[in-house]
Amino acid sequence: KGGWRMMGLELVALALGMRHGVDPDHLAAVDGLSRVRPSPYVGLLFALGHGAVVTLLAFPAAALLQRVPWEAFHLPSLLLLLVAGLNLYRLLKPAPARPTPLPVLNPFLLGILFGLGFETASQLSALALAAAISPLKLGLLFTLGMALVDGVDGFLASRLQALSPDSARAERASRLLGWVVVALSLLLAAAELLAWDLEAYAFPLGLALFGLLVGLRVYALRPA
């Protein structure tokens, strides 16, 4: 009976990681970063960085780190504004895809900063499991769930960018995704800065963005 209960808790930790990966701020950051720093591993590295923070916070020794008022620094909002600005610049002044030199746009580092700044319901629920599951196991399962979603999202977004130079259809799809990323990033940044509660809309917004990306990828691959 204890083994089944433990397995159930582990599945909950995995599911919470997947749910967290669908948060619109994650997808906006991953999709936006894929446009300015194309790589099929953007989403995976972002999830690993974010998961490293969640794993650390699950350990009792990290209680002091949890007391730091990270929200006062508005890290996620500033990063989302940066992602929106870079994507807007790329949309208004198209250029061949090339790595962006800004160190803060390293996807692993970006994931860490998001992990410190945002505390969504799914992340807090996962941390609450730390009393029942070992912190390391909790962190690994939560990170795996995020990696499954954000990794696929980053791969699809980067492949869409790779197609755009050789396909007018893919270029249109890429630009549409870029405008959606800009709009969503600005909305989420404003919500955090103005203390708007969008938690009830987070899951449908994330699913809609992920569905749009899949649809645009299919559209880009169709014969002209």
Side-chain angles (χ1 to χ4, degrees), residues 115-208:
L116 290 172
F118 264 139
E119 286 189 341
T120 65
S122 50
Q123 181 169 323
L124 292 174
S125 298
L127 291 174
L129 290 177
I133 306 178
S134 75
L136 182 58
K137 181 180 289 186
L138 168 65
L140 290 175
L141 290 170
F142 191 79
T143 302
L144 176 60
M146 276 195 298
L148 290 174
V149 175
D150 291 340
V152 170
D153 184 71
F155 177 80
L156 290 175
S158 68
R159 293 301 89 192
L160 183 61
Q161 301 311 313
L163 287 173
S164 60
D166 303 315
S167 167
R169 183 185 291 266
E171 175 61 22
R172 288 194 296 270
S174 172
R175 289 184 63 80
L176 175 58
L177 180 62
W179 284 113
V180 170
V181 165
V182 169
L184 187 57
S185 296
L186 291 176
L187 171 64
L188 295 173
E192 203 269 336
L193 289 171
L194 300 175
W196 296 342
D197 186 7
L198 297 182
E199 190 63 41
Y201 308 99
F203 189 56
L205 270 175
L207 283 181

Side-chain angles (χ1 to χ4, degrees), residues 37-122:
R37 191 168 186 161
S39 167
Y41 306 109
V42 163
L44 177 60
L45 291 171
F46 179 90
L48 291 176
H50 193 106
V53 173
V54 175
T55 303
L56 177 63
L57 293 178
F59 283 91
L64 184 62
L65 186 61
Q66 289 178 292
R67 293 174 186 170
V68 177
W70 298 105
E71 64 278 1
F73 298 103
H74 299 293
L75 285 175
S77 296
L78 296 176
L79 293 170
L80 284 170
L81 288 174
L82 178 61
V83 169
L86 288 171
N87 276 270
L88 185 60
Y89 177 80
R90 181 62 61 85
L91 286 164
L92 298 178
K93 189 176 181 181
R98 58 182 179 272
T100 301
L102 291 177
V104 74
L105 289 186
N106 177 286
F108 185 79
L109 176 59
L110 198 66
I112 290 176
L113 295 176
F114 264 75
L116 290 172
F118 264 139
E119 286 189 341
T120 65
S122 50

